[in-house]
Amino acid sequence: MPATVPALSEVGMAICIFLILLVPLAIAGLALINTGFVRSRSAAHAMLSTLCVVAIAAGVYFVCGFALEGYAGRPMHAISIAGKQWSWLADEKFFFRGLELDGSPASLAALLQIFGVGLAAAIPLGSAADRWRLGASAAAAVLLAGCIYPLFAHWAWGGGWLAQLGVNYSLGRGFIDCGGAGSIQAVGGLNALVILWILGPRRGKYSVEGIPAAIPGHNTVLVLFGCLLALLGWVGLNSAGAILFTGTIPARVVLIAVNTMLSASASALTSLLITRIRFGKPDASLVANGWVGGLVASCAGCAYMEPLAALLIGVVAGALVTFSIQWLELIAVDDTVGSFSVHGLCGLWSLLAAGLFAHVPGAAPGQWIAQVVGIATLLGFVLPLSYGLNLLLDRVLPQRVPPEGERQGMDLHELGAGAYPEFVTYTEDFIQR
Amino acid sequence: MKIAGFLLLLSGWLLVLAAVMLLAVPASRLCFVLAGGGVEILGLFLVFRAHAPLARERH
């Protein structure tokens, strides 16, 4: 990561703005995926939760998120350890004060992250669907957007100590994360895991003997359409992130788009192949997860990888998603959508893969150690911090809906009306278990 | 077990940070970074293990 990102030409700025405006499509895709994967009685709740959480995350990021995160070359708090500067927090003003919204790289980064933080906050919604209260998910989004996300994003994207590992300790070019594999995907995915631990599995997911039952989503078409929509969003996210956070030239957008597409394709096809071999038929939901897992895996090093490497990264991501979703189910982690596997695990894999496959111009050797330090920070600092904050929140504001609400469905219980009022409702949904 | 797991996660991270800050020789730095990563994996394993019975009991 360069100490400062050079100002963009007018054409570069226009391209960057266009790419940033694609990012909400990633959120829309994720919202459709989350909604399609839940039962019909919780569909409206899933979509409304996404909308609320994205709105809250944007608001909180405006109030204090950017002030804590900052941008490379702008004011920040740093401590000196053995003569090296360790920047741990930005020193910006709240409410975007002091930030000129004029198309400068810092202002474009703020715009990108208003969407990015919404995407990160929407990730846990999929995992905890069918049992996470709307109020609690909104409060968790405040914690994520106001504390967890800005802190790690400053370290990785805002010129913080992770980004400066190259300058300070000659570890490659420092921690690189073009499209937010760590800052957005892994942070969101680990937050999803924390919420899953706190909430526990859905009612009816496990038998008395502890054997998991399949609870299929209500609309696979929504899920698959969401996957296609997410592709556009991810191309925007990876490209704009690479330009704004690693100083990549706009002409590299072509390479980034190719890598993003190849990684997603390879991952989806790997999932398809694995499920075809294991179950006799392709599993649409796992293939959809594989697709998004491939998009996530493309994030970190997309601007510095050969297309062949992107293909290989996608293949590994597809296998990782497919096997981890099934493995998590066996150890009583009931991830409704598979968000932890898709965003958390594939985000971490993307960071490691960037260290292994990326060829960053002018970088010293040891890039992969910088990436491992970033992964260690996510697991050793972000995960416990997120767990502690959300556990505290659970004590103040119980996150799980009461059993009655789960029986009724989140739509009726929390919103008072269903998503599909003209549908015939299955009666067994309302029988006391 | 859960608290021990989280403490191991934190310890592993600190080990990685210490390796980066204090060790200049690439080989020893690499060893300690990997050792820190190993400690974190152990911590993660413990946290997962601690939560599995909790989830089943709650259910």
Coordinates of all heavy atoms in Angstrom, one line a residue, chain A residues 85-148:
Chain A
Q85 N 6.9 3.6 13.0 CA 5.6 4.2 13.3 C 4.5 3.1 13.1 O 4.4 2.5 12.1 CB 5.4 5.4 12.4 CG 6.2 6.6 12.6 CD 5.9 7.3 14.0 OE1 4.7 7.6 14.2 NE2 6.9 7.5 14.8
W86 N 3.7 2.9 14.2 CA 2.6 2.0 14.1 C 1.3 2.9 14.2 O 0.9 3.3 15.3 CB 2.6 1.0 15.2 CG 3.6 -0.1 15.0 CD1 4.9 0.0 14.8 CD2 3.3 -1.5 14.8 NE1 5.5 -1.2 14.5 CE2 4.6 -2.1 14.6 CE3 2.2 -2.3 14.9 CZ2 4.6 -3.5 14.4 CZ3 2.3 -3.6 14.7 CH2 3.5 -4.3 14.5
S87 N 0.7 3.1 13.0 CA -0.6 3.9 13.0 C -1.7 2.9 13.4 O -2.0 1.9 12.7 CB -0.8 4.5 11.7 OG -2.1 5.0 11.6
W88 N -2.4 3.2 14.5 CA -3.5 2.3 14.9 C -4.9 2.9 14.8 O -5.9 2.2 14.8 CB -3.3 1.9 16.4 CG -3.2 3.1 17.4 CD1 -2.2 3.9 17.6 CD2 -4.3 3.5 18.2 NE1 -2.5 4.8 18.5 CE2 -3.8 4.6 18.9 CE3 -5.6 3.1 18.4 CZ2 -4.6 5.3 19.8 CZ3 -6.3 3.7 19.4 CH2 -5.8 4.8 20.1
L89 N -5.0 4.2 14.6 CA -6.3 4.9 14.5 C -6.2 6.2 13.7 O -5.2 6.9 13.8 CB -6.9 5.1 15.8 CG -8.4 5.3 15.9 CD1 -9.2 4.1 15.6 CD2 -8.8 5.7 17.4
A90 N -7.2 6.5 12.9 CA -7.2 7.8 12.2 C -7.5 8.9 13.1 O -8.0 8.7 14.2 CB -8.2 7.7 11.0
D91 N -7.2 10.1 12.7 CA -7.5 11.3 13.5 C -8.3 12.3 12.7 O -8.0 13.4 12.5 CB -6.2 11.9 13.9 CG -6.4 13.0 15.0 OD1 -7.4 13.1 15.6 OD2 -5.4 13.8 15.1
E92 N -9.4 11.8 12.2 CA -10.3 12.6 11.4 C -11.4 13.2 12.2 O -11.6 12.7 13.4 CB -11.0 11.8 10.2 CG -10.0 11.2 9.2 CD -9.6 12.2 8.1 OE1 -10.2 13.3 8.1 OE2 -8.7 11.8 7.3
K93 N -12.2 14.1 11.7 CA -13.3 14.7 12.4 C -14.6 13.9 12.1 O -14.7 13.3 11.1 CB -13.5 16.1 12.1 CG -12.4 17.0 12.5 CD -12.6 18.4 12.0 CE -11.4 19.3 12.5 NZ -11.2 20.5 11.7
F94 N -15.5 13.8 13.1 CA -16.8 13.1 12.9 C -17.6 13.8 11.8 O -17.4 15.0 11.5 CB -17.6 13.1 14.2 CG -17.0 12.1 15.2 CD1 -15.8 11.4 14.9 CD2 -17.7 11.8 16.4 CE1 -15.3 10.5 15.8 CE2 -17.2 10.9 17.3 CZ -16.0 10.2 17.0
F95 N -18.6 13.1 11.3 CA -19.6 13.7 10.3 C -18.9 14.1 9.0 O -19.4 15.1 8.4 CB -20.4 14.8 10.9 CG -21.2 14.4 12.1 CD1 -20.8 14.8 13.4 CD2 -22.4 13.7 12.0 CE1 -21.5 14.4 14.5 CE2 -23.1 13.4 13.1 CZ -22.7 13.7 14.4
F96 N -17.8 13.5 8.6 CA -17.1 13.8 7.4 C -16.6 15.3 7.4 O -16.3 15.8 6.3 CB -18.1 13.7 6.2 CG -18.2 12.3 5.7 CD1 -17.7 11.2 6.3 CD2 -18.9 12.0 4.5 CE1 -17.9 9.9 5.9 CE2 -19.1 10.7 4.0 CZ -18.6 9.6 4.7
R97 N -16.6 15.9 8.6 CA -16.0 17.3 8.6 C -14.5 17.2 8.3 O -13.8 16.4 8.7 CB -16.3 18.0 9.9 CG -17.7 18.4 10.1 CD -18.0 19.1 11.4 NE -17.7 18.1 12.5 CZ -16.9 18.4 13.6 NH1 -16.4 19.6 13.6 NH2 -16.7 17.5 14.5
G98 N -14.1 18.1 7.5 CA -12.7 18.1 7.1 C -12.4 17.3 5.8 O -11.3 17.3 5.3
L99 N -13.5 16.6 5.3 CA -13.3 15.8 4.1 C -14.0 16.5 3.0 O -15.3 16.7 3.0 CB -13.9 14.4 4.3 CG -13.9 13.5 3.1 CD1 -12.5 13.1 2.7 CD2 -14.8 12.3 3.3
E100 N -13.3 17.0 2.0 CA -13.9 17.7 0.8 C -14.5 16.6 -0.1 O -13.8 15.7 -0.6 CB -12.9 18.5 0.1 CG -12.3 19.7 0.8 CD -13.4 20.8 1.0 OE1 -14.3 20.9 0.2 OE2 -13.3 21.4 2.1
L101 N -15.8 16.7 -0.3 CA -16.4 15.7 -1.2 C -16.3 16.2 -2.6 O -17.3 16.6 -3.3 CB -17.9 15.4 -0.8 CG -18.1 14.9 0.6 CD1 -19.5 14.8 1.0 CD2 -17.4 13.5 0.8
D102 N -15.1 16.1 -3.2 CA -14.8 16.8 -4.5 C -14.2 15.9 -5.5 O -13.7 16.3 -6.5 CB -13.9 18.0 -4.2 CG -12.6 17.5 -3.5 OD1 -12.5 16.3 -3.2 OD2 -11.7 18.3 -3.3
G103 N -14.3 14.6 -5.3 CA -13.7 13.6 -6.2 C -12.3 13.3 -5.9 O -11.6 12.6 -6.7
S104 N -11.8 13.8 -4.8 CA -10.4 13.4 -4.4 C -10.4 11.9 -4.0 O -11.5 11.4 -3.7 CB -10.0 14.2 -3.2 OG -10.8 14.0 -2.1
P105 N -9.2 11.2 -4.1 CA -9.2 9.8 -3.7 C -9.8 9.6 -2.3 O -10.6 8.6 -2.1 CB -7.7 9.5 -3.7 CG -7.2 10.4 -4.7 CD -7.9 11.7 -4.6
A106 N -9.6 10.5 -1.3 CA -10.1 10.3 0.0 C -11.7 10.3 0.0 O -12.3 9.5 0.6 CB -9.6 11.3 0.9
S107 N -12.2 11.2 -0.8 CA -13.7 11.3 -0.8 C -14.3 10.1 -1.6 O -15.3 9.6 -1.2 CB -14.1 12.6 -1.5 OG -13.8 12.6 -2.9
L108 N -13.6 9.7 -2.6 CA -14.1 8.5 -3.3 C -14.0 7.3 -2.4 O -14.9 6.4 -2.4 CB -13.3 8.3 -4.6 CG -13.5 9.3 -5.7 CD1 -12.5 9.0 -6.9 CD2 -14.9 9.3 -6.2
A109 N -12.9 7.2 -1.6 CA -12.8 6.1 -0.7 C -14.0 6.1 0.3 O -14.5 5.0 0.7 CB -11.5 6.1 0.0
A110 N -14.3 7.3 0.8 CA -15.4 7.4 1.8 C -16.7 6.9 1.1 O -17.5 6.2 1.7 CB -15.6 8.8 2.2
L111 N -16.9 7.3 -0.2 CA -18.1 6.9 -0.9 C -18.2 5.4 -1.0 O -19.2 4.7 -0.8 CB -18.2 7.6 -2.2 CG -19.3 7.1 -3.2 CD1 -20.7 7.5 -2.6 CD2 -19.2 7.8 -4.6
L112 N -17.0 4.8 -1.5 CA -17.0 3.4 -1.6 C -17.3 2.6 -0.3 O -18.0 1.7 -0.3 CB -15.6 3.0 -2.1 CG -15.3 1.5 -2.2 CD1 -16.2 0.8 -3.2 CD2 -13.8 1.2 -2.6
Q113 N -16.8 3.2 0.8 CA -17.0 2.5 2.0 C -18.3 2.7 2.7 O -18.7 1.9 3.5 CB -15.8 2.8 2.9 CG -14.6 2.2 2.4 CD -13.4 2.4 3.3 OE1 -13.1 1.6 4.1 NE2 -12.8 3.5 3.1
I114 N -19.0 3.7 2.3 CA -20.4 3.8 2.7 C -21.2 2.6 2.2 O -22.1 2.0 2.9 CB -21.0 5.1 2.2 CG1 -20.7 6.2 3.2 CG2 -22.5 5.0 2.0 CD1 -21.6 7.4 3.2
F115 N -20.9 2.2 1.0 CA -21.5 1.0 0.5 C -20.8 -0.3 1.0 O -21.5 -1.3 1.4 CB -21.4 0.9 -1.1 CG -22.1 2.1 -1.8 CD1 -21.4 2.7 -2.8 CD2 -23.3 2.5 -1.4 CE1 -22.0 3.8 -3.5 CE2 -23.9 3.6 -2.0 CZ -23.3 4.2 -3.1
G116 N -19.5 -0.2 1.2 CA -18.8 -1.4 1.6 C -19.1 -1.8 3.0 O -19.3 -3.0 3.3
V117 N -19.3 -0.8 3.9 CA -19.7 -1.2 5.3 C -21.1 -1.7 5.3 O -21.4 -2.6 6.2 CB -19.5 0.1 6.2 CG1 -20.6 1.1 6.0 CG2 -19.4 -0.3 7.6
G118 N -22.0 -1.3 4.4 CA -23.3 -1.9 4.4 C -23.2 -3.3 3.9 O -23.9 -4.2 4.5
L119 N -22.4 -3.6 3.0 CA -22.2 -5.0 2.5 C -21.7 -5.9 3.7 O -22.2 -7.0 3.9 CB -21.2 -5.0 1.4 CG -20.9 -6.3 0.7 CD1 -22.2 -6.9 0.0 CD2 -19.8 -6.2 -0.4
A120 N -20.7 -5.4 4.4 CA -20.1 -6.1 5.5 C -21.2 -6.4 6.6 O -21.3 -7.5 7.2 CB -19.0 -5.4 6.2
A121 N -22.0 -5.4 6.8 CA -23.1 -5.5 7.9 C -24.2 -6.5 7.4 O -24.9 -7.1 8.3 CB -23.7 -4.1 8.2
A122 N -24.4 -6.6 6.1 CA -25.5 -7.5 5.6 C -25.1 -8.9 5.6 O -25.9 -9.8 5.5 CB -25.9 -7.0 4.2
I123 N -23.8 -9.2 5.7 CA -23.3 -10.6 5.6 C -23.9 -11.5 6.8 O -24.4 -12.5 6.5 CB -21.8 -10.6 5.6 CG1 -21.3 -10.1 4.2 CG2 -21.2 -12.1 5.8 CD1 -19.8 -9.9 4.1
P124 N -23.8 -11.0 8.0 CA -24.3 -11.9 9.1 C -25.8 -12.1 9.0 O -26.3 -13.1 9.6 CB -24.0 -11.1 10.4 CG -23.0 -10.1 10.0 CD -23.2 -9.8 8.6
L125 N -26.6 -11.3 8.3 CA -28.0 -11.4 8.3 C -28.4 -12.8 7.6 O -29.4 -13.4 8.0 CB -28.7 -10.3 7.4 CG -28.7 -8.9 8.0 CD1 -29.2 -7.9 7.0 CD2 -29.5 -8.9 9.3
G126 N -27.6 -13.2 6.6 CA -27.9 -14.5 6.0 C -27.7 -15.6 6.9 O -28.5 -16.6 7.0
S127 N -26.6 -15.6 7.7 CA -26.3 -16.7 8.6 C -27.4 -16.9 9.6 O -27.7 -18.0 10.0 CB -25.0 -16.4 9.3 OG -23.9 -16.5 8.5
A128 N -27.8 -15.7 10.2 CA -28.7 -15.8 11.4 C -30.1 -15.7 11.0 O -31.0 -15.4 11.8 CB -28.3 -14.7 12.3
A129 N -30.4 -15.8 9.7 CA -31.8 -15.6 9.2 C -32.7 -16.6 9.9 O -32.3 -17.6 10.4 CB -31.9 -15.8 7.7
D130 N -34.0 -16.2 10.0 CA -35.1 -17.0 10.6 C -35.1 -17.0 12.2 O -35.9 -17.7 12.8 CB -35.0 -18.5 10.2 CG -35.8 -18.8 9.0 OD1 -36.8 -18.0 8.7 OD2 -35.6 -19.8 8.3
R131 N -34.1 -16.3 12.8 CA -34.1 -16.3 14.3 C -33.5 -15.0 14.9 O -33.5 -14.9 16.1 CB -33.4 -17.5 14.8 CG -32.0 -17.6 14.4 CD -31.6 -19.1 14.5 NE -30.2 -19.4 14.3 CZ -29.6 -19.5 13.1 NH1 -30.3 -19.1 12.0 NH2 -28.4 -19.8 13.0
W132 N -33.0 -14.1 14.0 CA -32.3 -12.9 14.6 C -33.3 -11.7 14.6 O -33.8 -11.4 13.5 CB -31.1 -12.6 13.7 CG -30.1 -11.7 14.4 CD1 -30.0 -11.4 15.7 CD2 -29.0 -11.1 13.7 NE1 -28.9 -10.6 15.9 CE2 -28.2 -10.4 14.7 CE3 -28.5 -11.0 12.4 CZ2 -27.1 -9.7 14.4 CZ3 -27.4 -10.3 12.1 CH2 -26.7 -9.6 13.1
R133 N -33.5 -11.1 15.7 CA -34.4 -10.0 15.8 C -33.9 -8.8 15.0 O -32.7 -8.5 15.0 CB -34.7 -9.7 17.3 CG -35.4 -10.7 18.0 CD -35.5 -10.4 19.5 NE -36.1 -9.2 19.7 CZ -35.7 -8.3 20.6 NH1 -34.6 -8.5 21.4 NH2 -36.4 -7.1 20.8
L134 N -34.9 -8.1 14.5 CA -34.6 -6.9 13.7 C -33.8 -5.8 14.5 O -32.8 -5.3 14.0 CB -35.8 -6.3 13.1 CG -35.7 -5.1 12.1 CD1 -34.9 -5.5 10.9 CD2 -37.1 -4.6 11.7
G135 N -34.3 -5.6 15.7 CA -33.7 -4.6 16.5 C -32.2 -5.0 16.9 O -31.3 -4.1 16.9
A136 N -32.0 -6.2 17.2 CA -30.7 -6.7 17.6 C -29.8 -6.6 16.4 O -28.6 -6.3 16.5 CB -30.8 -8.1 18.1
S137 N -30.3 -7.0 15.2 CA -29.4 -7.0 14.0 C -29.0 -5.5 13.7 O -27.9 -5.2 13.3 CB -30.1 -7.6 12.8 OG -31.2 -7.0 12.5
A138 N -29.9 -4.6 14.0 CA -29.6 -3.2 13.7 C -28.5 -2.7 14.7 O -27.6 -2.0 14.4 CB -30.9 -2.3 13.9
A139 N -28.7 -3.1 16.0 CA -27.7 -2.7 17.0 C -26.3 -3.4 16.7 O -25.3 -2.7 16.9 CB -28.2 -3.2 18.4
A140 N -26.3 -4.6 16.2 CA -25.1 -5.3 15.8 C -24.4 -4.5 14.7 O -23.2 -4.4 14.6 CB -25.3 -6.7 15.5
A141 N -25.2 -4.0 13.8 CA -24.7 -3.2 12.6 C -24.0 -1.9 13.1 O -23.0 -1.5 12.5 CB -25.8 -2.9 11.6
V142 N -24.6 -1.4 14.2 CA -24.0 -0.2 14.8 C -22.6 -0.5 15.3 O -21.6 0.2 15.0 CB -24.8 0.4 15.9 CG1 -24.1 1.5 16.6 CG2 -26.2 0.9 15.3
L143 N -22.5 -1.6 16.0 CA -21.1 -2.0 16.5 C -20.2 -2.3 15.4 O -19.0 -1.9 15.4 CB -21.3 -3.3 17.3 CG -22.1 -3.2 18.6 CD1 -22.2 -4.6 19.3 CD2 -21.4 -2.2 19.6
L144 N -20.6 -2.9 14.3 CA -19.8 -3.3 13.2 C -19.3 -2.0 12.5 O -18.1 -1.8 12.2 CB -20.5 -4.2 12.2 CG -19.6 -4.7 11.1 CD1 -18.8 -5.9 11.5 CD2 -20.5 -5.0 9.8
A145 N -20.3 -1.2 12.1 CA -19.9 0.0 11.3 C -19.2 1.1 12.1 O -18.5 1.9 11.6 CB -21.2 0.6 10.7
G146 N -19.5 1.1 13.4 CA -18.9 2.2 14.2 C -17.6 1.8 14.9 O -16.9 2.7 15.4
C147 N -17.3 0.5 15.0 CA -16.1 0.1 15.7 C -15.2 -0.9 15.0 O -14.1 -0.7 14.7 CB -16.5 -0.4 17.1 SG -15.2 -1.0 18.1
I148 N -15.8 -2.1 14.7 CA -15.0 -3.2 14.2 C -14.5 -2.9 12.8 O -13.3 -3.0 12.6 CB -15.8 -4.5 14.3 CG1 -16.4 -4.8 15.7 CG2 -15.0 -5.7 13.8 CD1 -17.5 -5.8 15.7

